[in-house]
Amino acid sequence: MLSSFPLLEGESLQTYRLVNSKFPPIALFDDVADAADFEALYQLQAMTNPRLQNELGRLELIPRDEIPFGIPGCSYATAPFTHVNPTGSRFSNGSFGVLYLADRMDTAIAEVRHHQKRYWSNVPDLNYERFVFRGLTCSFTDAGMRDATGVPLSHSIYAPDDYAHSHQLGRETKLTGCPGLRYNSVRSPGNACWALMTPRPVISIIQTAHFEMIWSGQIVSINQITTADSRITPSAGDGLN
């Protein structure tokens, strides 16, 4: 399946991501310039910091030479590969991590909003709550990635809630060493996302804003809270999903 999608030639891109603010940056990834420095500092801190393993996640899931040490925001680029969602995602069955990025912040919000809504709907006694997210801007080059945007949203890899076929594609992408996929956003039709199978292509990934989602039986508003006049308000019926 993967080989049927055209190769991308290496465009430099600026993309967007939304992460829950309860997950802070991992300082150790950002404090070193290369793998040798990381190993030395890791061994030193491991003797005095009992929480270090929880902070760094499962380091065995990513080779050291795939970690882009020295870039701005190395921890943001690496965290999805060491803190893997065991329930999986569109292109992973939960056995490996994926860095998901979007062409616009609105697209990233629509994707996160859908999944947060599903999660919060299953939390007992969750009434009025406010959740804060970090808005990230990521620069990377898509050389060697495959482009799945040419197939329509009716294709099986875009099934809204059945990830069987997209898991197959993700596994093939990972096993063949392809660095990632460009694909159509399911939650924001007409826009595009990227699924990076490695953080190596990332040049920088920095925080640019904070957003809040207000939950009261459904997501009733989404606000950018780092500027006074930026507000994103969902349409009636909780739109964007």
Side-chain angles (χ1 to χ4, degrees):
M1 183 188 300
L2 182 65
S3 61
S4 66
F5 300 130
L7 277 170
L8 294 166
E9 297 182 353
E11 182 181 0
S12 295
L13 299 164
Q14 179 170 292
T15 54
Y16 302 88
R17 178 170 171 80
L18 208 63
V19 297
N20 198 308
S21 285
K22 71 180 181 181
F23 302 119
I26 305 167
L28 190 58
F29 287 131
D30 292 318
D31 287 345
V32 297
D34 55 40
D37 286 348
F38 175 83
E39 292 297 341
L41 190 56
Y42 174 74
Q43 295 301 327
L44 180 63
Q45 290 201 15
M47 294 187 289
T48 59
N49 182 358
R51 300 184 303 276
L52 184 62
Q53 189 61 53
N54 286 335
E55 292 173 1
L56 294 176
R58 297 179 58 191
L59 286 173
E60 74 275 12
L61 293 178
I62 183 169
R64 297 292 192 271
D65 62 0
E66 291 194 13
I67 299 176
F69 293 112
I71 69 163
C74 178
S75 66
Y76 287 130
T78 305
F81 301 94
T82 60
H83 292 272
V84 177
N85 183 352
T87 63
S89 59
R90 178 163 298 277
F91 292 107
S92 171
N93 63 3
S95 63
F96 59 88
V98 180
L99 174 60
Y100 290 101
L101 302 163
D103 58 353
R104 303 170 55 204
M105 183 58 76
D106 283 352
T107 309
I109 290 170
E111 293 285 342
V112 170
R113 170 185 182 168
H114 171 82
H115 296 289
Q116 292 297 318
K117 177 188 174 184
R118 292 187 63 185
Y119 177 79
W120 295 335
S121 295
N122 293 318
V123 177
D125 303 319
L126 185 65
N127 296 315
Y128 180 87
E129 296 286 347
R130 172 180 178 267
F131 300 91
V132 178
F133 294 81
R134 301 174 192 270
L136 307 177
T137 298
C138 178
S139 298
F140 73 98
T141 302
D142 65 3
M145 298 184 188
R146 295 284 181 169
D147 185 8
T149 59
V151 296
L153 284 175
S154 57
H155 193 282
S156 57
I157 64 169
Y158 296 128
D161 299 301
D162 180 356
Y163 292 167
H165 289 91
S166 56
H167 280 176
Q168 292 177 12
L169 176 58
R171 183 174 183 274
E172 183 180 356
T173 305
K174 182 74 172 179
L175 289 178
T176 58
C178 177
L181 296 166
R182 180 168 69 182
Y183 64 101
N184 294 313
S185 172
V186 175
R187 316 304 171 185
S188 183
N191 294 308
C193 295
W194 287 260
L196 272 59
M197 300 296 167
T198 170
R200 281 182 301 187
V202 177
I203 299 167
S204 72
I205 181 166
I206 59 173
Q207 179 181 312
T208 55
H210 274 93
F211 296 86
E212 64 176 4
M213 292 189 184
I214 306 298
W215 172 265
S216 184
Q218 63 176 347
I219 298 173
V220 296
S221 67
I222 304 172
N223 308 317
Q224 184 173 333
I225 57 177
T226 51
T227 59
D229 57 353
S230 294
R231 176 175 293 269
I232 300 171
T233 304
S235 59
D238 196 33
L240 297 177
N241 54 50

